[in-house]
Amino acid sequence: MATESEIKIPDIAGKVFEFSVLPSTQTKAVELLEAGESLPFSVIANAQSNGAGRLGRNWFSPYGGIYISWAAEAKIFDAEPMAIAIAVCRAISEYTGKDAVIKWPNDIMIDGKKLAGILAQKIDGNVITGIGINTFDSDAISKYAGSKMVTISLSSRQRREFIVRIFEEIEPIWKKYQKLGFAAFVEQFISLSFPQGTKFRVSKNDINFLGTFAGITEKGELLLEVNGETEKFSAGEISIVMDN
Ligand code: BTN
């Protein structure tokens, strides 16, 4: 059996920079890109002391989670993190056997709780995609107040195999995405999302919209049916509304 360090990360990842702890793989990747590192490349850490989430939030990053920033040349950048969410969602379902679901725009949920998040930064003609997956010990999450997150604890070998699986899923999706854009993924994205008709609350600029999930556009916008009208959202955050 190959030793853990012999488990090869697929070529699409490019040169892999691995760290035990970093403030953020994302800021490290930006530094490397600005220093002229050739693309693609990946920065992977076991923990982050200042992980960045979407919408200016912090990303809880204890030891044992998966923290990847993958830098690549991008000819197309429309709903790029949503295309990568498809790859991550597929890898999670396959690797864990659990039913992973995408919550628009690019959260991956298991049993209604967040397991993984994705963000992307476009820098000139390149993109740095940040992927965070909770694979740390469950003790860590119980200490995290008000948690709506879930973790699947993995050994360090499983964690590495899982990273390989993620890049294996990214590879074909990325190639297709770079030819055709997100339009080619709308159906697949919807099929991995909560069922259409699910009640969502969408908050945008501090305003809440209550409606039902009615689809995704070719640009990756969320369609929400609100009082018989279809509203379109290009940014925002959704929560699932449970019926009593
Ligand atoms: C989200 O808020 O849902 C997106 C979270 C993305 C976190 C990842 S972890 C790897 C990379 N480095 C960071 O600092 N953030 C991203």
Side-chain angles (χ1 to χ4, degrees):
M1 187 161 70
T3 63
E4 198 181 312
S5 57
E6 284 168 356
I7 302 174
K8 193 179 169 318
I9 297 181
D11 289 345
I12 186 105
K15 184 169 173 187
V16 179
F17 297 86
E18 293 190 71
F19 296 86
S20 178
V21 187
L22 277 177
S24 158
T25 57
Q26 203 68 15
T27 47
K28 186 71 184 174
V30 173
E31 274 168 37
L32 287 165
L33 186 67
E34 286 172 351
E37 185 57 47
S38 27
L39 293 159
F41 68 84
S42 300
V43 180
I44 301 179
N46 293 326
Q48 301 183 118
S49 54
N50 193 21
R54 285 177 61 236
L55 310 172
R57 296 183 183 139
N58 287 329
W59 183 253
F60 182 55
S61 308
Y63 186 85
I66 291 178
Y67 311 106
I68 302 173
S69 291
W70 174 58
E73 202 181 328
K75 292 187 200 79
I76 296 182
F77 181 83
D78 48 10
E80 191 267 351
M82 292 174 67
I84 298 296
I86 293 174
V88 175
C89 185
R90 285 171 54 93
I92 290 171
S93 292
E94 280 163 26
Y95 195 81
T96 66
K98 292 180 190 266
D99 208 5
V101 175
I102 302 177
K103 180 162 86 72
W104 181 88
N106 29 262
D107 290 349
I108 316 293
M109 317 287 286
I110 282 185
D111 299 331
K113 292 190 166 190
K114 182 160 168 173
L115 179 75
I118 296 161
L119 51 74
Q121 265 172 285
K122 187 157 194 268
I123 301 178
D124 302 325
N126 307 311
V127 62
I128 302 177
T129 308
I131 303 169
I133 309 179
N134 302 337
T135 54
F136 43 76
D137 206 79
S138 52
D139 281 358
I141 216 161
S142 57
K143 289 182 194 133
Y144 192 64
S147 175
K148 290 184 184 157
M149 298 187 301
V150 65
T151 183
I152 39 161
S153 310
L154 296 182
S155 68
S156 76
R157 185 186 181 89
Q158 288 172 322
R159 184 177 167 277
R160 194 163 183 92
E161 287 169 351
F162 194 14
I163 290 170
V164 168
R165 194 77 212 99
I166 290 163
F167 279 110
E168 283 172 353
E169 287 294 336
I170 286 178
E171 185 155 17
I173 287 180
W174 181 253
K175 286 183 177 156
K176 184 170 165 187
Y177 172 74
Q178 282 303 291
K179 277 196 200 124
L180 305 169
F182 183 72
F185 292 95
V186 172
E187 268 179 44
Q188 196 179 7
F189 189 93
I190 291 173
S191 73
L192 291 172
S193 299
F194 287 90
Q196 296 202 42
T198 301
K199 283 188 191 166
F200 283 163
R201 179 175 294 110
V202 182
S203 71
K204 188 183 167 191
N205 303 331
D206 291 333
I207 301 171
N208 280 334
F209 297 82
L210 194 61
T212 54
F213 178 40
I216 299 288
T217 70
E218 296 197 343
K219 291 181 186 160
E221 298 147 316
L222 173 80
L223 298 176
L224 190 75
E225 195 157 314
V226 184
N227 301 328
E229 303 275 319
T230 304
E231 302 276 350
K232 222 188 258 183
F233 297 86
S234 56
E237 170 103 321
I238 60 174
S239 42
I240 316 299
V241 180
M242 300 292 177
D243 283 322
N244 292 318

